[in-house]
């Protein structure tokens, strides 16, 4: 589905660099825009290129190949890509003047949606490759090296996951103790504002055996927490070992049996696909973290209908109540759009009221952005830009207040955190709370990958402070 996408802070570079041994090795710089699905895809593209002798670098200046893994969800995202391509064109020219080659590739959803248009608008681009075809990247680059400008945006008939090389354990280890694992792609919901069904195609679930194998591989390499990804992850379905129909809840029960896998998460979900089994998983599984990203988008039933969300505000609130009744400590996160065509002030206030009722720990909110080709773009009554901006400001003030209240409510609590990376000062480590907050703690005798008990003693702008306790 869905509302798949939690925007990452600005842009996240993909995989951690692999140590360079051969000075002649080709280097690839991958810049990732958009959602976690793209972060996962960037990592896998890095894997595909590793088999061609590329290593990833975090320094664009030293890259032989610059790959932009793009997002098309809002208008500005595509424009950002075109301006980045303008800068890269200059860089490529300078390189050529110094007798050194630099190739440019565009991957992801802008590649899928714009195709030929990218080659037309950005003459320096060598390869355009869609989200379903990136396993063909090595061949596409070979063709580009022979002078062709390559487009690979067909929905591949073969399964890309079957064709991608398995990630080396040492490489997985270098990426840390948490990992994404895509289990589902595409969306059949057709919310009227959203390009995803057109860029990522219809819903496809990866088979159970493939997911279990990848999860086991991650755990064998030291991963302690896996976040299952899908545009509409809770629509995942597969065949169980006895040929029975499995949903995401069943998959979570099965994954929680993997020894050493301490934590599970999943994102993003659609309210219509939160079935009983999944809610039971939240009740029963201690490995399943009490955090749920469940976008609602708006609080007015008329707007929800116009968005083709297929649920009312009341149904959403009742669903949250059911989930909270079995897992009272669950933290809720959501996505919101303000200024959908025709949204009145009173309808916007319905969104504020819904937020007041639900109380979110975290949220992402956006001004409606017209996406050509979606039904929303055909609607008359577009809301004025200033009105959208003013509504967004009010909504974000309320969401920020709730986020702070949630963080302050954590102070004094004793919780387990998964240590993920070194902190700023010696002896300090940064861990992750069950509710996805960063937690700073002095934990000299502990290691990254450990789960330790801490007491939360304070809040910062984007993180919590804690002291270690023995339990
Ligand atoms: N305009 C604004 N926000 C959008 N989103 C998706 N499409 C649009 C659009 N056209 C938001 C939704 C979705 C999140 C990933 O991005 O809130 O859940
Ligand atoms: Fe999510 Fe709706 Fe877009 Fe599907 S169409 S990805 S459910 S916002």
């Amino acid at each position: 589905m869905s509302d798949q996408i939690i925007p990452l802070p600005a842009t996240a570079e993909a995989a951690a660099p692999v140590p360079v041994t051969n000075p002649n090795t080709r280097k690839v710089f991958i810049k990732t825009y958009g959602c976690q699905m793209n972060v996962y895809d960037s990592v896998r593209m890095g894997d595909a290129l590793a088999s061609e002798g590329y290593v990833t670098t975090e320094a664009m200046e030293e890259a032989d190949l610059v790959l932009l893994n793009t997002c098309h969800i809002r208008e500005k995202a595509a424009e950002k890509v075109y301006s980045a391509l303008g800068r890269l064109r200059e860089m490529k020219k300078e390189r050529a003047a110094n007798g050194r080659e630099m190739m440019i590739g565009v991957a992801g959803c802008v590649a899928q949606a714009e195709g030929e248009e990218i080659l037309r608008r950005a003459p320096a681009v060598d390869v355009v490759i869609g989200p379903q075809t990136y396993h063909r990247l090595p061949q596409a680059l070979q063709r580009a090296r022979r002078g062709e400008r390559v487009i690979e945006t067909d929905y591949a008939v073969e399964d890309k996951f079957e064709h991608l090389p398995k990630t080396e354990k040492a490489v997985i280890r270098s990426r840390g103790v948490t990992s994404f694992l895509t289990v589902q792609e595409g969306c059949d919901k057709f919310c009227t504002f959203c390009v995803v069904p057109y860029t990522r195609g219809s819903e496809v679930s990866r088979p159970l055996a493939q997911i279990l194998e990848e999860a086991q591989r991650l755990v064998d390499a030291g991963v302690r927490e896996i976040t299952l990804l899908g545009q509409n992850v809770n629509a995942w379905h597969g065949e169980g070992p006895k040929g029975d129909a499995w949903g995401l809840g069943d998959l979570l029960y099965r994954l929680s049996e993997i020894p050493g896998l301490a934590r599970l998460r999943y994102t993003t979900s659609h309210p219509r696909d939160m079935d009983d089994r999944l809610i039971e998983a939240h009740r029963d599984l201690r490995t399943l973290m009490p955090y749920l990203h469940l976008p609602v988008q708006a609080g007015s039933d008329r707007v929800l209908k116009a968005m083709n969300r297929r649920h009312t505000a009341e149904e959403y609130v009742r669903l949250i109540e059911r989930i909270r009744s079995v897992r009272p400590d669950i933290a809720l996160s959501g996505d919101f759009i303000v200024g959908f065509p025709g949204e009145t002030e009173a309808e916007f206030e319905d969104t504020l009221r819904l937020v007041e009722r639900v109380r979110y720990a975290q949220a992402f909110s956006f001004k409606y952005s017209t996406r050509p080709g979606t039904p929303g773009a055909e609607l008359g009554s577009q809301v004025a830009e200033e009105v959208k901006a003013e509504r967004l400001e009010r909504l974000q003030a309320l969401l920020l207040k709730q986020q702070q209240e949630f963080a302050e409510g954590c102070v004094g609590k004793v919780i387990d955190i998964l240590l993920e990376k070194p902190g700023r000062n010696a002896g300090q480590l940064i861990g992750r709370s069950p509710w996805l907050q960063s937690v700073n703690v002095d934990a000299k005798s502990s290691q990254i990958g450990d789960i330790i008990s801490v007491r939360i003693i304070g809040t910062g702008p984007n993180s919590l402070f804690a002291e270690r306790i023995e339990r």
Side-chain angles (χ1 to χ4, degrees):
M1 105 135 207
S2 130
D3 336 84
Q4 81 268 24
I5 293 177
I6 299 181
L8 293 164
T11 55
E13 266 80 75
V18 176
V20 181
T21 44
N22 178 350
N24 298 320
T25 315
R26 291 203 190 103
K27 293 178 191 160
V28 54
F29 173 86
I30 307 179
K31 180 152 180 129
T32 309
Y33 299 84
C35 66
Q36 291 106 325
M37 304 275 300
N38 270 11
V39 175
Y40 176 87
D41 288 345
S42 290
V43 168
R44 298 307 302 265
M45 282 192 265
D47 294 344
L49 291 169
S51 65
E52 288 295 296
Y54 278 94
V55 295
T56 53
T57 172
E58 289 192 44
M60 191 194 282
E61 316 73 65
E62 62 177 34
D64 304 285
L65 167 64
V66 174
L67 198 55
L68 305 182
N69 192 10
T70 61
C71 168
H72 201 237
I73 198 88
R74 278 167 292 276
E75 198 181 345
K76 274 204 198 116
E79 285 315 309
K80 258 197 236 164
V81 172
Y82 281 114
S83 58
L85 287 173
R87 291 191 299 274
L88 285 173
R89 183 188 186 181
E90 293 308 310
M91 211 165 140
K92 187 172 179 168
K93 263 197 219 149
E94 275 170 37
R95 286 278 188 90
N98 296 325
R100 212 179 132 204
E101 185 197 54
M102 179 177 122
M103 295 183 88
I104 302 175
V106 181
C109 294
V110 176
Q112 187 65 43
E114 306 255 306
E116 290 276 353
E117 179 68 6
I118 297 181
L119 294 186
R120 200 184 59 73
R121 273 182 70 176
V125 170
D126 301 287
V127 171
V128 174
I129 197 149
Q132 304 307 335
T133 37
Y134 63 75
H135 55 294
R136 299 187 193 150
L137 196 50
Q139 294 85 324
L141 288 170
Q142 282 160 19
R143 283 162 58 198
R145 229 170 266 123
R146 291 195 292 267
E148 201 183 326
R149 297 184 79 204
V150 183
I151 301 201
E152 277 277 12
T153 51
D154 291 345
Y155 289 111
V157 279
E158 74 272 15
D159 175 358
K160 70 169 177 265
F161 295 108
E162 291 289 352
H163 286 74
L164 285 167
K166 306 251 178 290
T167 318
E168 295 296 329
K169 277 198 188 142
V171 175
I172 298 175
R173 211 165 284 135
S174 74
R175 291 175 181 156
V177 294
T178 63
S179 180
F180 291 137
L181 197 176
T182 293
V183 300
Q184 179 280 334
E185 289 189 278
C187 181
D188 292 342
K189 292 285 188 290
F190 289 94
C191 298
T192 54
F193 51 81
C194 186
V195 286
V196 166
Y198 312 97
T199 53
R200 289 271 177 167
S202 56
E203 258 171 44
V204 180
S205 295
R206 287 179 72 185
L208 175 67
Q210 215 185 61
I211 296 167
L212 293 179
E213 195 204 325
E214 191 168 324
Q216 188 66 58
R217 207 176 161 76
L218 293 169
V219 173
D220 289 346
V223 167
R224 311 274 347 255
E225 173 180 303
I226 293 180
T227 301
L228 305 181
L229 297 182
Q231 259 93 31
N232 193 8
V233 72
N234 60 348
W236 181 87
H237 55 278
E239 199 178 292
K242 295 187 189 117
D244 42 343
W246 272 25
L248 186 70
D250 302 293
L251 177 62
L252 288 163
Y253 277 92
R254 175 65 188 83
L255 287 168
S256 69
E257 289 169 9
I258 297 180
L261 180 53
R263 291 180 158 195
L264 285 164
R265 303 178 185 275
Y266 61 93
T267 198
T268 288
S269 299
H270 190 286
R272 280 290 289 255
D273 293 324
M274 284 305 296
D275 63 17
D276 292 349
R277 185 73 172 147
L278 188 50
I279 296 175
E280 281 165 23
H282 278 287
R283 181 194 63 198
D284 296 341
L285 301 176
R286 291 306 98 177
T287 42
L288 182 55
M289 291 295 99
Y291 184 97
L292 178 62
H293 183 65
L294 195 63
V296 65
Q297 312 296 357
S300 139
D301 288 343
R302 192 204 62 81
V303 173
L304 287 170
K305 195 155 196 288
M307 288 176 163
N308 192 31
R309 290 290 295 177
R310 300 183 235 186
H311 58 78
T312 62
E314 198 54 40
E315 281 163 350
Y316 177 83
V317 171
R318 277 208 302 273
L319 174 61
I320 302 284
E321 282 166 0
R322 272 181 63 212
I323 299 165
R324 280 191 167 137
S325 73
V326 301
R327 190 74 214 232
D329 64 339
I330 200 157
L332 261 297
S333 155
D335 289 342
F336 300 88
I337 295 179
V338 300
F340 185 78
E343 184 190 69
T344 63
E345 170 63 23
E347 287 168 342
F348 167 66
E349 285 169 13
D350 287 339
T351 301
L352 296 178
R353 248 187 305 279
L354 180 137
V355 170
E356 295 278 13
R357 286 179 74 187
V358 172
R359 289 171 289 110
Y360 288 90
Q362 172 76 276
F364 303 91
S365 46
F366 314 97
K367 289 188 277 186
Y368 172 71
S369 162
T370 310
R371 308 310 288 129
T374 61
E378 309 297 315
L379 296 172
S381 48
Q382 299 285 329
V383 175
E385 208 46 44
E386 326 69 89
V387 175
K388 286 191 224 173
E390 187 266 340
R391 287 181 189 167
L392 186 66
E393 208 174 295
R394 280 152 70 199
L395 175 61
Q396 288 188 336
L398 175 60
L399 291 168
L400 182 65
K401 184 170 132 270
Q402 294 194 345
Q403 194 176 324
Q404 285 163 346
E405 282 167 0
F406 182 80
E408 279 152 20
C410 293
V411 175
K413 282 191 180 153
V414 171
I415 60 168
D416 284 346
I417 62 170
L418 169 61
L419 297 173
E420 285 185 5
K421 55 186 176 194
R424 262 209 211 130
N425 308 322
Q428 215 176 46
L429 290 171
I430 301 177
R432 186 75 58 187
S433 81
W435 308 294
L436 218 48
Q437 301 135 303
S438 287
V439 182
N440 303 285
V441 65
D442 280 324
K444 288 181 194 63
S445 54
S446 304
Q447 290 179 16
I448 288 170
D450 289 351
I451 293 178
I452 62 166
S453 292
V454 299
R455 179 178 291 109
I456 304 298
I457 52 174
T459 64
N462 291 309
S463 61
L464 301 174
F465 297 95
E467 62 188 11
R468 181 166 196 173
I469 58 160
E470 301 301 333
R471 286 218 258 205

